[in-house]
Amino acid sequence: MLVRKGVQLLLHDMRHAVLPELPLASGRRADLISLSEKGEIWIIEIKTSIEDFRVDRKWPEYRQHCDRMFFATHKDVPLDIFPEDCGLFLSDGYGAHMIREAPEHRLPPATRKSVTLNFSRAAAQRLMLAEWATGKDFAFSPRGEGARRADEGDGEL
Protein backbone atom coordinates (compact mmCIF):
# COMPACT_ATOMS: atom_id res chain seq x y z
CA MET A 1 0.00 0.00 0.00
CA LEU A 2 2.88 2.41 0.65
CA VAL A 3 4.18 2.08 -2.91
CA ARG A 4 0.68 2.56 -4.27
CA LYS A 5 -0.05 5.61 -2.11
CA GLY A 6 3.19 7.35 -3.07
CA VAL A 7 2.55 6.82 -6.78
CA GLN A 8 -1.06 7.95 -6.41
CA LEU A 9 0.11 11.18 -4.77
CA LEU A 10 2.59 11.86 -7.59
CA LEU A 11 0.03 11.10 -10.31
CA HIS A 12 -2.48 13.36 -8.57
CA ASP A 13 0.13 16.15 -8.57
CA MET A 14 0.59 15.47 -12.30
CA ARG A 15 -3.19 16.04 -12.71
CA HIS A 16 -3.99 12.43 -13.56
CA ALA A 17 -7.21 10.74 -12.48
CA VAL A 18 -6.16 7.49 -10.81
CA LEU A 19 -7.98 4.25 -10.04
CA PRO A 20 -6.51 1.27 -8.19
CA GLU A 21 -7.33 -2.34 -9.05
CA LEU A 22 -9.23 -1.81 -12.29
CA PRO A 23 -10.37 -5.01 -14.03
CA LEU A 24 -9.42 -5.01 -17.72
CA ALA A 25 -11.15 -6.58 -20.71
CA SER A 26 -8.46 -9.29 -20.81
CA GLY A 27 -9.50 -10.50 -17.36
CA ARG A 28 -6.38 -9.05 -15.75
CA ARG A 29 -6.49 -6.32 -13.13
CA ALA A 30 -4.28 -3.21 -13.27
CA ASP A 31 -2.70 -2.29 -9.92
CA LEU A 32 -3.08 1.39 -10.88
CA ILE A 33 -4.47 2.97 -14.02
CA SER A 34 -4.45 6.68 -14.71
CA LEU A 35 -5.99 9.04 -17.19
CA SER A 36 -4.09 12.25 -17.95
CA GLU A 37 -5.67 15.59 -18.79
CA LYS A 38 -4.83 14.85 -22.44
CA GLY A 39 -6.57 11.47 -22.29
CA GLU A 40 -3.40 9.38 -22.16
CA ILE A 41 -3.84 6.06 -20.34
CA TRP A 42 -1.07 4.76 -18.10
CA ILE A 43 -0.92 1.42 -16.29
CA ILE A 44 1.37 1.06 -13.29
CA GLU A 45 2.29 -2.44 -12.10
CA ILE A 46 3.47 -2.45 -8.47
CA LYS A 47 6.28 -4.80 -7.47
CA THR A 48 7.50 -4.97 -3.87
CA SER A 49 10.24 -7.61 -4.16
CA ILE A 50 12.50 -9.36 -6.65
CA GLU A 51 10.42 -12.52 -6.25
CA ASP A 52 7.19 -10.58 -6.88
CA PHE A 53 8.63 -9.43 -10.20
CA ARG A 54 10.11 -12.81 -11.18
CA VAL A 55 6.94 -14.85 -10.65
CA ASP A 56 4.64 -12.39 -12.42
CA ARG A 57 4.81 -12.72 -16.19
CA LYS A 58 1.35 -11.32 -16.97
CA TRP A 59 2.48 -7.69 -17.14
CA PRO A 60 3.26 -7.64 -20.91
CA GLU A 61 -0.49 -8.15 -21.49
CA TYR A 62 -1.19 -4.77 -19.88
CA ARG A 63 0.34 -2.98 -22.86
CA GLN A 64 -2.72 -3.74 -24.96
CA HIS A 65 -4.74 -1.57 -22.53
CA CYS A 66 -2.53 1.54 -22.14
CA ASP A 67 -0.48 4.18 -23.92
CA ARG A 68 2.37 3.85 -21.43
CA MET A 69 3.36 0.99 -19.11
CA PHE A 70 5.20 1.60 -15.83
CA PHE A 71 6.47 -0.35 -12.85
CA ALA A 72 6.51 1.08 -9.34
CA THR A 73 8.59 -0.13 -6.43
CA HIS A 74 10.43 0.97 -3.27
CA LYS A 75 14.07 1.53 -2.32
CA ASP A 76 14.72 -2.06 -1.21
CA VAL A 77 14.11 -3.52 -4.67
CA PRO A 78 16.98 -3.28 -7.19
CA LEU A 79 15.88 -1.06 -10.06
CA ASP A 80 17.91 -2.94 -12.67
CA ILE A 81 15.47 -5.90 -12.61
CA PHE A 82 12.81 -3.84 -14.40
CA PRO A 83 12.69 -3.85 -18.21
CA GLU A 84 14.14 -0.78 -19.95
CA ASP A 85 11.15 -0.56 -22.29
CA CYS A 86 8.83 0.31 -19.38
CA GLY A 87 8.69 3.41 -17.22
CA LEU A 88 9.69 3.25 -13.57
CA PHE A 89 8.52 4.96 -10.36
CA LEU A 90 10.28 4.83 -7.01
CA SER A 91 7.92 5.37 -4.08
CA ASP A 92 8.32 5.78 -0.32
CA GLY A 93 4.65 6.03 0.59
CA TYR A 94 4.75 9.82 0.98
CA GLY A 95 5.38 10.48 -2.68
CA ALA A 96 7.21 9.04 -5.66
CA HIS A 97 9.72 9.96 -8.32
CA MET A 98 9.62 9.02 -11.96
CA ILE A 99 12.97 7.34 -12.49
CA ARG A 100 12.33 6.51 -16.13
CA GLU A 101 9.67 7.73 -18.59
CA ALA A 102 7.73 5.01 -20.39
CA PRO A 103 7.82 4.85 -24.17
CA GLU A 104 4.53 5.66 -25.83
CA HIS A 105 2.57 3.08 -27.79
CA ARG A 106 -0.73 4.72 -28.69
CA LEU A 107 -3.85 2.64 -28.28
CA PRO A 108 -6.10 2.03 -31.29
CA PRO A 109 -9.19 4.29 -31.10
CA ALA A 110 -11.63 1.45 -30.34
CA THR A 111 -9.44 0.17 -27.49
CA ARG A 112 -9.00 3.69 -26.11
CA LYS A 113 -12.77 4.15 -26.07
CA SER A 114 -13.29 0.80 -24.34
CA VAL A 115 -10.65 1.43 -21.64
CA THR A 116 -11.84 5.01 -21.06
CA LEU A 117 -15.45 3.87 -20.74
CA ASN A 118 -14.41 1.10 -18.33
CA PHE A 119 -12.40 3.63 -16.29
CA SER A 120 -15.23 6.17 -16.10
CA ARG A 121 -17.92 3.62 -15.25
CA ALA A 122 -15.77 2.10 -12.48
CA ALA A 123 -14.96 5.55 -11.07
CA ALA A 124 -18.63 6.58 -11.07
CA GLN A 125 -19.68 3.32 -9.43
CA ARG A 126 -17.02 3.64 -6.72
CA LEU A 127 -18.01 7.25 -6.04
CA MET A 128 -21.66 6.29 -5.66
CA LEU A 129 -20.79 3.42 -3.30
CA ALA A 130 -18.52 5.72 -1.24
CA GLU A 131 -21.33 8.26 -0.92
CA TRP A 132 -23.79 5.56 0.13
CA ALA A 133 -21.34 4.07 2.64
CA THR A 134 -20.42 7.38 4.28
CA GLY A 135 -23.55 9.46 3.75
CA LYS A 136 -21.30 12.26 2.43
CA ASP A 137 -21.60 14.20 -0.81
CA PHE A 138 -18.37 13.78 -2.77
CA ALA A 139 -19.06 16.37 -5.49
CA PHE A 140 -15.82 17.90 -6.76
CA SER A 141 -15.03 20.81 -8.98
CA PRO A 142 -13.92 19.86 -12.51
CA ARG A 143 -10.29 20.62 -11.60
CA GLY A 144 -10.39 18.59 -8.37
CA GLU A 145 -9.92 21.60 -6.10
CA GLY A 146 -12.21 20.42 -3.34
CA ALA A 147 -15.67 19.32 -2.43
CA ARG A 148 -18.72 21.56 -2.42
CA ARG A 149 -22.12 20.66 -1.02
CA ALA A 150 -25.27 21.19 -3.04
CA ASP A 151 -26.64 23.51 -0.34
CA GLU A 152 -23.67 25.89 -0.68
CA GLY A 153 -23.59 28.73 -3.15
CA ASP A 154 -26.17 28.66 -5.94
CA GLY A 155 -27.24 25.07 -5.27
CA GLU A 156 -25.75 23.69 -8.46
CA LEU A 157 -22.76 21.39 -8.69
Side-chain angles (χ1 to χ4, degrees):
M1 283 299 291
L2 287 177
V3 173
R4 184 170 106 178
K5 183 177 179 183
V7 174
Q8 286 174 308
L9 289 167
L10 175 63
L11 291 171
H12 176 75
D13 288 347
M14 295 172 69
R15 304 185 69 79
H16 283 236
V18 184
L19 282 178
E21 302 295 333
L22 183 71
L24 303 169
S26 65
R28 301 288 186 199
R29 185 185 340 233
D31 290 337
L32 286 175
I33 188 166
S34 77
L35 184 61
S36 76
E37 285 186 311
K38 295 179 181 178
E40 195 171 80
I41 298 166
W42 294 5
I43 289 181
I44 299 93
E45 178 70 4
I46 297 170
K47 295 296 169 205
T48 57
S49 69
I50 295 172
E51 186 65 16
D52 185 17
F53 177 74
R54 285 191 180 143
V55 299
D56 178 9
R57 291 295 165 207
K58 69 186 181 301
W59 64 264
E61 297 176 32
Y62 293 143
R63 286 196 166 138
Q64 61 188 306
H65 304 283
C66 63
D67 296 307
R68 296 182 192 268
M69 172 72 197
F70 291 85
F71 284 96
T73 194
H74 57 84
K75 66 177 178 58
D76 297 328
V77 177
L79 301 182
D80 61 353
I81 67 169
F82 298 103
E84 292 286 328
D85 61 344
C86 293
L88 184 60
F89 291 105
L90 185 61
S91 173
D92 65 5
Y94 299 100
H97 297 283
M98 185 185 297
I99 303 298
R100 182 173 56 237
E101 180 73 54
E104 181 183 52
H105 20 209
R106 301 288 296 166
L107 288 173
T111 304
R112 177 176 308 289
K113 180 179 179 181
S114 174
V115 173
T116 303
L117 187 59
N118 182 29
F119 184 100
S120 60
R121 289 182 53 81
Q125 184 73 14
R126 291 178 190 185
L127 176 61
M128 181 185 70
L129 293 173
E131 286 184 336
W132 288 357
T134 64
K136 295 180 182 177
D137 179 356
F138 289 112
F140 289 94
S141 71
R143 299 182 62 78
E145 290 142 356
R148 185 167 64 92
R149 295 175 41 111
D151 60 357
E152 295 175 347
D154 62 9
E156 292 185 33
L157 293 178

